[in-house]
Amino acid sequence: MKYLLQSGKLIHALWVMIFCAFSCEQKSIWDIRDFGAVGDSLTLNTLAIQNAIDQCSQKGGGEVIIAKGVYVSGTILLRDDVTLVVRENAKLLSSVNPNHFQPIDPFIDATGQYRGQCLIGAIDAKNIGIKGGGTIDGRGEMFKIGKIKKTMSQLGEELIAPSMPKVDTSKQNYVNKKLRPSYRPFLIRLVRSEGVNIANINLRQPAAWTLHFYQCKDFVVDRVDIYSHANQNNDGIDIDSSTDGLITNTHVNSGDDAICFKATSPLPTERITVKECRLSSHWGAIKFGTESMGDFRDITVSNCKIYDTKGGGIKLLSVDGANISNIKIDSIQMENTDMPLFVRQGERRLTYRDADRLPIGSMENISISNISATTRSIEESRLSAPSGIFITGTSNHPIQGIALENIEITLPGGGTEAHALLEVPENETMYPEFTKFGDALPAYGLYARHIVELETENIRFILNGEDARDEMIKP
């Protein structure tokens, strides 16, 4: 009898263990529909999605699922250990009401805009991600000022203006001296977050930047497709004072810079690898700056294709104090790209986030190799006669060292004798764009000045038409 009782207790304990193994297992999948979300393209689902994310994080983390439908939302914030999964048959769609978006660590950018709103954000989060094969759409065309006014009138709401800091813009070299709020939310803005994985997702039409990493660490962007042409400042990916990142197998077609290394704080952007990406831009495909307070170092860009780009293929710009060093750019193919290489060390010295103004920066140990490029036609170029490479420091602050190797650039020609006699202005404090130096350069291939050491090996320029300018002008 005693043995039977003991056996019964043992069997009961086993059943309890089996029950807990199944019913007490930690939940790892959270469906936003279980929190009241409706994918009808009309219902505002901000609260439902945020509740799902919050509970997922509080219960130990997992995946928050957006499946089958079109879900409208304002700002949602990712929390620790949460991956947002937008499945192939689903779309996360931005609300068109600017009041539905909150600023995430707001700042004033180089143009004088007070910015920071976003559709998806994170602050001080760890182990977060976005994936799933679906689409996140910012409806950026609806955030043009005329359409904003029309929307708010239809809704019968007042547009809520942010409380902006007081800044003496006369002492800043903002592109626009009038400090003004931006009501255009970024699509994804991640701040001081660590362990970020953005993979297999389609990012579409934000009102401003598409994917912004600010002071983030340990991030991966893989198999992401970006199309961003709906509004102004439509950057693709911005790596801003962030470290230890990988961007790979990604396609960016953007109205502004495609992949842009920035530093809107004195902290560096470093240890970044970009490889095997396809990039198209109306301003710059691979760009360092213009916001450049913190250093750029230990960055590699390789095996990328740049196509249909109007504003520069590769652009390295230190104008706010950045020391740019240990940069390797290799095996880049460019087609129909204006100004394949533009390097500028300047003296703008713009400050961000109440930081102290920095001394003039520097450039050294920069290697650019194995580049094949075809420029845009004369009719499509932003210059009256295109050039291949433009490198300039300033008379008081020359660039220290750049090595160019195995570069072939095909150009249309078109330079005149008048172009050959042009004097290129210094413009030390001006916004660093190659179009700010005049309508053309006096050399069609390479124009370089104010550089201590420029190494060139196997550099070739091919002309498809007559050009009266020198092939190369360099120290």
Side-chain angles (χ1 to χ4, degrees):
M1 185 68 176
K2 183 177 180 180
Y3 173 76
L4 289 175
L5 287 172
Q6 290 175 340
S7 298
K9 290 179 180 179
L10 178 62
I11 292 171
H12 176 74
L14 287 171
W15 275 111
V16 170
M17 290 174 64
I18 292 170
F19 176 80
C20 283
F22 287 94
S23 64
C24 301
E25 183 179 359
Q26 178 179 307
K27 183 176 179 179
S28 61
I29 303 295
W30 304 75
D31 193 319
I32 64 170
R33 292 172 294 189
D34 295 337
F35 293 80
V38 180
D40 60 0
S41 77
L42 298 173
T43 303
L44 184 66
N45 295 289
T46 310
L47 186 60
I49 299 172
Q50 192 63 63
N51 284 341
I53 291 171
D54 291 348
Q55 288 201 30
C56 177
S57 179
Q58 291 164 10
K59 298 294 185 180
E63 296 183 346
V64 171
I65 306 298
I66 299 178
K68 196 175 182 180
V70 178
Y71 296 84
V72 177
S73 181
T75 299
I76 54 176
L77 299 179
L78 298 178
R79 309 295 192 193
D80 289 357
D81 305 309
V82 173
T83 295
L84 184 67
V85 180
V86 184
R87 290 184 173 161
E88 290 185 4
N89 58 356
K91 178 184 287 188
L92 179 63
L93 192 64
S94 171
S95 167
V96 297
N97 186 340
N99 292 341
H100 291 163
F101 298 90
Q102 65 185 82
I104 305 299
D105 189 51
F107 69 105
I108 302 171
D109 74 359
T111 70
Q113 296 180 81
Y114 187 68
R115 318 180 75 172
Q117 302 99 322
C118 59
L119 176 57
I120 300 174
I123 301 179
D124 300 313
K126 294 183 178 180
N127 303 321
I128 58 175
I130 302 170
K131 66 176 186 178
T135 298
I136 302 171
D137 190 326
R139 290 204 276 191
E141 72 282 355
M142 296 302 296
F143 291 86
K144 296 178 179 179
I145 191 63
K147 291 192 175 181
I148 287 176
K149 290 179 179 178
K150 184 177 180 181
T151 296
M152 302 312 287
S153 176
Q154 291 173 340
L155 294 174
E157 290 189 31
E158 291 290 332
L159 184 62
I160 300 175
S163 178
M164 295 188 297
K166 292 183 179 180
V167 176
D168 184 357
T169 57
S170 66
K171 296 180 179 180
Q172 294 283 14
N173 288 322
Y174 295 135
V175 175
N176 188 323
K177 294 296 183 182
K178 182 181 178 182
L179 181 62
R180 60 209 185 278
S182 172
Y183 297 101
R184 298 181 290 115
F186 296 1
L187 198 68
I188 301 171
R189 178 162 158 74
L190 309 174
V191 176
R192 297 187 302 274
S193 294
E194 182 176 350
V196 181
N197 189 357
I198 312 293
N200 187 29
I201 197 75
N202 301 297
L203 306 180
R204 295 289 182 267
Q205 301 293 52
W209 300 351
T210 309
L211 175 56
H212 183 206
F213 294 94
Y214 176 66
Q215 292 187 353
C216 290
K217 182 179 180 181
D218 187 19
F219 62 90
V220 175
V221 178
D222 183 18
R223 292 169 291 125
V224 173
D225 189 272
I226 294 174
Y227 186 84
S228 181
H229 286 273
N231 210 306
Q232 301 177 52
N233 311 118
N234 281 146
D235 288 17
I237 302 173
D238 293 279
I239 307 103
D240 184 353
S241 293
S242 293
T243 65
D244 302 295
L246 170 65
I247 300 172
T248 185
N249 300 311
T250 286
H251 177 217
V252 180
N253 188 328
S254 61
D256 212 314
D257 305 320
I259 294 180
C260 187
F261 303 96
K262 294 180 180 290
T264 62
S265 81
L267 296 182
T269 291
E270 61 183 345
R271 297 188 299 276
I272 309 294
T273 297
V274 176
K275 63 180 183 179
E276 297 169 2
C277 294
R278 293 178 62 240
L279 310 171
S280 177
S281 168
H282 285 186
W283 284 107
I286 298 167
K287 182 177 177 183
F288 294 70
T290 59
E291 293 96 334
S292 49
M293 284 197 73
D295 295 344
F296 302 125
R297 57 187 180 232
D298 302 319
I299 297 172
T300 299
V301 181
S302 64
N303 297 300
C304 293
K305 180 178 180 179
I306 296 170
Y307 69 97
D308 297 342
T309 291
K310 297 180 180 180
I314 300 166
K315 303 164 84 167
L316 291 92
L317 316 170
S318 171
V319 293
D320 300 324
N323 299 299
I324 301 181
S325 62
N326 300 331
I327 307 298
K328 182 176 179 59
I329 299 174
D330 181 69
S331 299
I332 309 295
Q333 180 183 354
M334 304 187 207
E335 296 179 359
N336 195 34
T337 297
D338 220 8
M339 190 63 76
L341 175 58
F342 175 49
V343 181
R344 172 57 157 166
Q345 181 172 303
E347 302 178 11
R348 182 177 67 172
R349 299 178 69 199
L350 197 59
T351 61
Y352 309 86
R353 306 170 187 276
D354 297 321
D356 293 333
R357 183 160 291 178
L358 297 177
I360 308 304
S362 64
M363 290 188 183
E364 61 182 346
N365 195 22
I366 296 170
S367 171
I368 302 172
S369 58
N370 301 309
I371 308 295
S372 173
T374 300
T375 68
R376 295 169 71 83
S377 66
I378 295 174
E379 294 75 19
E380 295 176 321
S381 176
R382 287 182 172 158
L383 300 178
S384 61
S387 293
I389 301 173
F390 181 16
I391 300 173
T392 179
T394 68
S395 57
N396 293 322
H397 296 90
I399 296 167
Q400 292 303 305
I402 296 178
L404 306 178
E405 181 180 4
N406 296 332
I407 296 176
E408 181 177 285
I409 299 176
T410 301
L411 303 113
T416 66
E417 292 183 2
H419 290 144
L421 298 174
L422 288 172
E423 292 188 12
V424 181
E426 294 291 344
N427 294 341
E428 295 96 336
T429 62
M430 189 175 286
Y431 187 88
E433 195 61 72
F434 67 84
T435 54
K436 302 292 186 181
F437 291 88
D439 193 42
L441 296 174
Y444 67 80
L446 166 66
Y447 179 85
R449 67 179 181 186
H450 305 319
I451 179 168
V452 174
E453 185 174 2
L454 176 62
E455 299 178 17
T456 60
E457 181 177 347
N458 192 24
I459 310 298
R460 183 178 181 220
F461 301 100
I462 301 170
L463 284 175
N464 287 332
E466 295 295 324
D467 202 305
R469 298 173 293 172
D470 291 333
E471 179 181 71
M472 291 192 282
I473 297 175
K474 61 179 183 176

